[in-house]
């Protein structure tokens, strides 16, 4: 039962975080941030979000910027989901480099 609730909240947070990043990165031309996966702790206190950033050259710089603005992102997330959640989880962001890994394997297989 708890796992179903975790998955439902993870999907809600993924949707809302992607909308937040979509509106924020609209100002930065040529950069796209998508939320690929979200995991929520069993007590719903910690949200771990995996971000895919295109182009990948800017990923480290953008991740530093996102982690510096965690509090404002959490506040905006709280205003969006305040009717669905009692406690807004603490946010943690990581880069999802699975697409780069797949691309590298394809290059190795072609050679």
């Amino acid at each position: 039962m708890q796992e179903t609730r975790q998955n439902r909240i993870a999907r809600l947070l993924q949707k809302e975080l992607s909308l937040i990043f979509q509106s924020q990165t609209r100002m930065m031309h040529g950069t796209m941030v998508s939320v690929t996966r979200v995991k929520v702790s069993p007590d719903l206190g910690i949200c771990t979000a995996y971000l895919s950033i295109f182009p990948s050259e800017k990923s480290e710089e953008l991740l530093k910027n996102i982690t510096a603005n965690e509090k404002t992102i959490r506040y905006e997330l709280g205003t969006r989901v305040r009717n669905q959640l009692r406690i807004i989880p603490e946010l943690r962001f990581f880069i999802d480099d699975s697409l780069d890994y797949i691309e590298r394997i394809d290059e190795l297989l072609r050679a």
Side-chain angles (χ1 to χ4, degrees), residues 25-38:
T25 57
R26 199 174 284 155
M27 294 171 237
M28 298 167 38
H29 302 289
T31 305
M32 185 175 77
V33 177
S34 59
V35 183
T36 56
R37 186 175 52 183
V38 170

Side-chain angles (χ1 to χ4, degrees), residues 14-24 76 80:
Q14 181 178 5
K15 179 183 150 213
E16 294 300 332
L17 281 172
S18 63
L19 291 174
I20 290 170
F21 287 129
Q22 183 181 13
S23 66
Q24 294 297 324
E76 188 164 344
R80 291 172 177 255

Side-chain angles (χ1 to χ4, degrees), residues 37-54:
R37 186 175 52 183
V38 170
K39 291 183 180 178
V40 181
S41 64
D43 66 347
L44 307 177
I46 298 173
C47 169
T48 306
Y50 294 91
L51 306 175
S52 177
I53 300 171
F54 183 80

